[in-house]
């Protein structure tokens, strides 16, 4: 089968690592894998380097709106508000047409769309609709972060799109029960199922510090500093 993976990301981070793990541990070696990624993603080279070379890596142009060299902060602000609340949704017509053409050309059978957090990643809505219009029966929406309350300026636009996705019977996957609860609270998306990131590992029974270090293969005289990640308000 031909499996498509779509990602819209702009900063290299945890989503990339999870995405790479998923590709590298794909269970069926006979499947053809297609990765669709925005060309201005900060971690695009990192992705290319760490996924199998046999994957078909396809880039698309970012839909972000840039005003150029207009120096007036007020004009910049007005243009951005108009784009983010009106014009980006009008632009979805061309996005849907473009992505429908891409997935049809590559004859994708199943499409996984990775979203960093709702309602971010607006282009992912276009791709989900395009996939269904192209005749893909299974379109999965994988949401990796908590959903939050919609801005009043885009509330009705996003509520309409969520209702469309529900009408198309898009299958939503959350990576934790917390994400699932926020999706139910703040969106009109189909009910999500939870598939936890990672795998279950046997718990290490700690009797004393020496045994613990030995199990982790760490010398007792070594001093280790480690980090979990960055702290963000929604995490």
């Amino acid at each position: 089968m031909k499996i498509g993976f779509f990602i819209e990301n702009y900063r290299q981070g945890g989503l990339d690592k999870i995405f790479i793990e998923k590709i590298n541990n794909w269970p069926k070696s006979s499947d053809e894998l297609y990765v669709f990624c925005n060309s201005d993603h900060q971690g695009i080279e990192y992705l290319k380097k760490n996924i199998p070379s046999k994957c078909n890596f396809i880039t698309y142009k970012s839909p972000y709106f840039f005003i150029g060299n207009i120096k007036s902060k007020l004009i910049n602000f007005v243009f951005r508000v108009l784009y983010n609340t009106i014009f980006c949704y009008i632009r979805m017509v061309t996005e849907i047409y473009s992505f429908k053409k891409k997935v049809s050309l590559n004859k994708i059978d199943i499409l996984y769309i990775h979203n960093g957090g709702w309602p971010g990643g607006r282009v992912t809505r276009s791709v989900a609709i395009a996939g269904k219009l192209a005749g893909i029966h299974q379109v999965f929406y994988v949401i990796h972060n908590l959903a939050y309350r919609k801005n009043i300026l885009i509330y009705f636009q996003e509520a309409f799109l969520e209702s469309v996705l529900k009408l198309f019977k898009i299958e939503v996957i959350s990576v934790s029960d917390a994400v699932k609860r926020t999706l139910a609270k703040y969106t009109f998306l189909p009910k999500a199922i939870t598939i936890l990131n990672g795998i279950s590992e046997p718990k290490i029974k700690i009797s004393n510090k020496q045994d613990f270090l030995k199990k982790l293969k760490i010398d007792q005289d070594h001093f280790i500093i480690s980090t979990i990640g960055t702290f963000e308000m929604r995490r």
Side-chain angles (χ1 to χ4, degrees):
M1 297 186 75
K2 293 188 175 184
I3 314 296
F5 300 91
F6 178 88
I7 184 170
E8 180 190 5
N9 204 4
Y10 297 91
R11 280 196 312 170
Q12 183 177 325
L15 179 58
D16 295 310
K17 292 181 179 178
I18 293 168
F19 189 75
I20 288 167
E21 287 296 317
K22 182 175 183 177
I23 297 291
N24 286 327
N25 292 283
W26 192 252
K28 292 185 178 180
S29 58
S30 59
D31 287 339
E32 291 184 48
L33 306 183
Y34 292 76
V35 176
F36 299 88
C37 179
N38 52 303
S39 57
D40 58 344
H41 174 30
Q42 185 188 70
I44 193 167
E45 293 304 321
Y46 173 72
L47 283 176
K48 287 181 178 179
K49 181 181 177 181
N50 287 282
I51 61 175
S53 57
K54 66 178 182 180
C55 286
N56 299 280
F57 201 97
I58 302 168
T59 58
Y60 64 92
K61 189 176 180 181
S62 171
Y64 260 14
F65 177 68
F66 295 97
I67 301 174
N69 295 320
I70 297 177
K71 295 181 179 180
S72 171
K73 291 183 178 180
L74 177 61
I75 295 176
N76 268 273
F77 174 76
V78 171
F79 269 90
R80 289 183 186 279
V81 169
L82 289 174
Y83 179 77
N84 290 326
T85 58
I86 300 173
F87 297 124
C88 72
Y89 294 98
I90 296 173
R91 184 174 181 168
M92 285 184 68
V93 176
T94 58
E95 289 172 0
I96 291 169
Y97 173 79
S98 174
F99 285 115
K100 179 177 178 290
K101 193 174 179 181
K102 284 182 186 293
V103 295
S104 296
L105 180 65
N106 292 288
K107 298 180 180 179
I108 302 298
D109 297 303
I110 299 175
L111 181 61
Y112 288 89
I113 301 167
H114 289 261
N115 177 279
W118 204 268
R122 182 199 53 76
V123 179
T124 58
R125 282 45 139 202
S126 298
V127 177
I129 295 170
K132 281 294 185 177
L133 292 177
I136 301 175
H137 296 296
Q138 289 185 292
V139 177
F140 295 94
Y141 223 127
V142 187
I143 300 177
H144 292 265
N145 202 348
L146 302 177
Y148 59 95
R149 194 183 304 276
K150 303 176 188 66
N151 186 306
I152 188 61
L153 295 176
I154 61 170
Y155 181 88
F156 294 104
Q157 299 93 311
E158 288 295 330
F160 172 75
L161 288 176
E162 290 164 0
S163 299
V164 171
L165 294 176
K166 190 171 185 177
L167 180 67
F168 276 119
K169 297 182 178 179
I170 303 296
E171 299 180 66
V172 179
I173 299 172
S174 66
V175 299
S176 71
D177 289 334
V179 171
K180 181 178 179 179
R181 287 194 295 271
T182 59
L183 289 170
K185 183 176 182 179
Y186 295 124
T187 79
F188 298 98
L189 291 170
K191 185 177 180 180
I193 62 170
T194 299
I195 301 178
L196 300 176
N197 281 332
I199 58 174
S200 297
E201 289 286 352
K203 291 184 178 179
I204 299 175
K205 292 182 179 180
I206 304 173
S207 57
N208 55 62
K209 179 181 176 182
Q210 286 71 29
D211 286 344
F212 180 65
L213 292 174
K214 188 176 180 180
K215 284 182 181 292
L216 295 179
K217 298 180 180 180
I218 298 173
D219 292 337
Q220 292 189 26
D221 59 347
H222 281 190
F223 186 77
I224 298 172
I225 300 175
S226 62
T227 61
I228 296 173
T230 57
F231 288 100
E232 297 184 15
M233 184 181 295
R234 291 191 297 128
R235 300 184 184 188

